[in-house]
């Protein structure tokens, strides 16, 4: 028998969503008449914008004729898309960016999981707690985790607790780390990081020669002026940060698949021999070896997001979700709960009442209001005592869920 990668055995079981499904199923079996509303999923529900669908159709037609048919495309993405991204998402907002710093991909999930491959196995990793599990699990698989303790933390990671006490903006590491995963606007807490705090992280990374892996999948949800949408809005970031972005939450591409990662040419790592090595060159090498590009038709669909019509339609979708977020936040606050997020992110992070664990609150909401959310503890030990509701549902269901919370939830 071939020897397996033993690091996989250190992964925690995919417990969270299977356990939620199990509890929902058993409740539904006992109460077949209950109309359960799911405010737990992190997936969008609105269809692709008409401009995007039109771009997709036109590209499909191109594929149907010999003159315009496309086979393999450039691994980092077609120029028409990388140029649009560099211009529309960065240069027009006053951020220097070159198209060859943009790498188009099939997802922020795969990129944020794969990026660690270009770094040494003994790099020290810092992750937020609570956290999007991809950053943690990909580093567990790569052997950077050490042993798992009772509380659910790995011995070799540095955890950055994000709680109401620190405004969900973690303190700087008290020791040296090499790789820092930050996600803002945050999933699951819905928090944003201020420019001042981000500047302190960039200072830390420059001092420690660390790399910040900045997940900006929710940048389009930022509403308040002055909140950074890109880490490169802050001076010095080009030398220390990689940024992940995605069309998934921005334009409803969760099932269509298109994202991009920015690796500035000013960003370098160090080889074993002590030489400075371009991370842009390494990531290009990695992608061109292991990835064959996003389908042409999907890149055309992504390009359509940047047309005037596309922008307007996509903004309308985000407005729709953010109106849901406001409805949810106002609703839970009206029953006396403390809520965070939902202002620059599609997530509302609810504090459970004193002494009620996040799984107890899950059961309470399910049995009393027939509403499903996600227990904060599922995102990490510091998520205990919190509960995530998402704004990605349909309006009528969101309103109905809030109505039930107001009428039926006993606190
Ligand atoms: C949804 C999400 C993404 C985007 O993932 P895709 O693979 O592009 O669909 C990235 N990061 C976080 C934190 C997310 O919640």
């Amino acid at each position: 028998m071939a020897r397996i990668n033993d690091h996989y055995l250190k992964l925690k079981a995919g417990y969270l969503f299977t356990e939620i499904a199990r509890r929902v199923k058993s409740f539904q079996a006992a109460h077949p008449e209950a109309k359960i509303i799911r405010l737990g999923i992190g997936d969008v529900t609105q269809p692709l914008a008409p401009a995007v669908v039109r771009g997709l159709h036109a590209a499909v037609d191109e594929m149907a004729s010999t003159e315009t048919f496309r086979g393999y495309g450039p691994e980092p993405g077609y120029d028409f898309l990388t140029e649009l991204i560099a211009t529309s998402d960065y240069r027009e907002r006053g951020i220097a960016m070159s198209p060859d710093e943009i790498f188009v991909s099939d997802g922020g999930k795969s990129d944020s999981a794969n990026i660690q491959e270009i770094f040494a196995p003994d790099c020290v990793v810092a992750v937020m707690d609570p956290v999007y599990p991809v950053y943690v699990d990909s580093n567990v698989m790569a052997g950077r985790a050490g042993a798992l303790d009772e509380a659910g933390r790995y011995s070799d990671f540095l955890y950055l607790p994000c709680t109401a006490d620190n405004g969900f903006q973690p303190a700087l590491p008290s020791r040296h780390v090499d790789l820092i995963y930050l996600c803002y606007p945050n999933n699951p807490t819905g928090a944003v990081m201020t420019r001042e705090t981000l500047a302190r992280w960039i200072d830390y990374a420059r001092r420690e020669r660390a790399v910040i892996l900045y997940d900006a999948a929710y940048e389009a949800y930022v509403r308040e002026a002055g909140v950074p949408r890109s880490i490169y809005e802050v001076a010095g970031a080009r030398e220390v940060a990689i940024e992940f972005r995605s069309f998934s939450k921005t334009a409803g591409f969760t099932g269509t698949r298109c994202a991009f990662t920015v690796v500035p040419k000013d960003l370098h790592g160090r080889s074993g021999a002590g030489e400075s090595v371009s991370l842009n060159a390494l990531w290009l090498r990695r992608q061109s070896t292991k990835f064959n590009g996003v389908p042409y038709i999907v890149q055309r669909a992504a390009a359509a997001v940047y047309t005037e019509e596309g922008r307007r339609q996509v903004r309308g979708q985000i407005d729709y979700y953010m109106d849901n977020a406001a409805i949810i936040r106002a609703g839970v606050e009206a029953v006396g709960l403390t809520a965070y997020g939902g202002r620059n992110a599609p997530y509302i992070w609810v504090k459970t009442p004193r002494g009620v664990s996040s799984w107890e609150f899950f059961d309470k909401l399910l049995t009393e209001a027939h509403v499903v959310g996600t227990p904060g503890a599922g995102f990490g030990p510091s998520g205990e005592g919190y509960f995530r509701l998402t704004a990605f549902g349909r309006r009528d269901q969101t309103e109905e869920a809030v109505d039930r919370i107001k009428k039926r939830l006993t606190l």
Side-chain angles (χ1 to χ4, degrees), residues 42 106-110 112 132 135 183 187 215 217-218 245-249 253-254 257-259 347:
D106 65 343
K109 180 178 185 174
S110 33
S112 61
Y132 180 56
Y135 323 139
C183 172
N187 175 10
D215 188 341
Y218 296 96
R245 292 225 192 161
S246 173
F247 295 93
S248 282
K249 315 299 165 31
F253 273 55
T254 52
R257 312 305 304 146
C258 197
Y347 296 110

Side-chain angles (χ1 to χ4, degrees), residues 18-54:
T18 41
E19 179 60 16
I20 290 174
R22 191 190 67 75
R23 292 191 190 202
V24 172
K25 197 171 159 207
S26 108
F27 178 79
Q28 187 78 81
H31 304 88
E33 76 298 341
K35 284 213 223 86
I36 294 172
I37 298 178
R38 287 178 169 76
L39 294 186
I41 45 152
D43 197 358
V44 296
T45 51
Q46 291 198 78
L48 291 174
V52 170
V53 172
R54 204 152 352 94

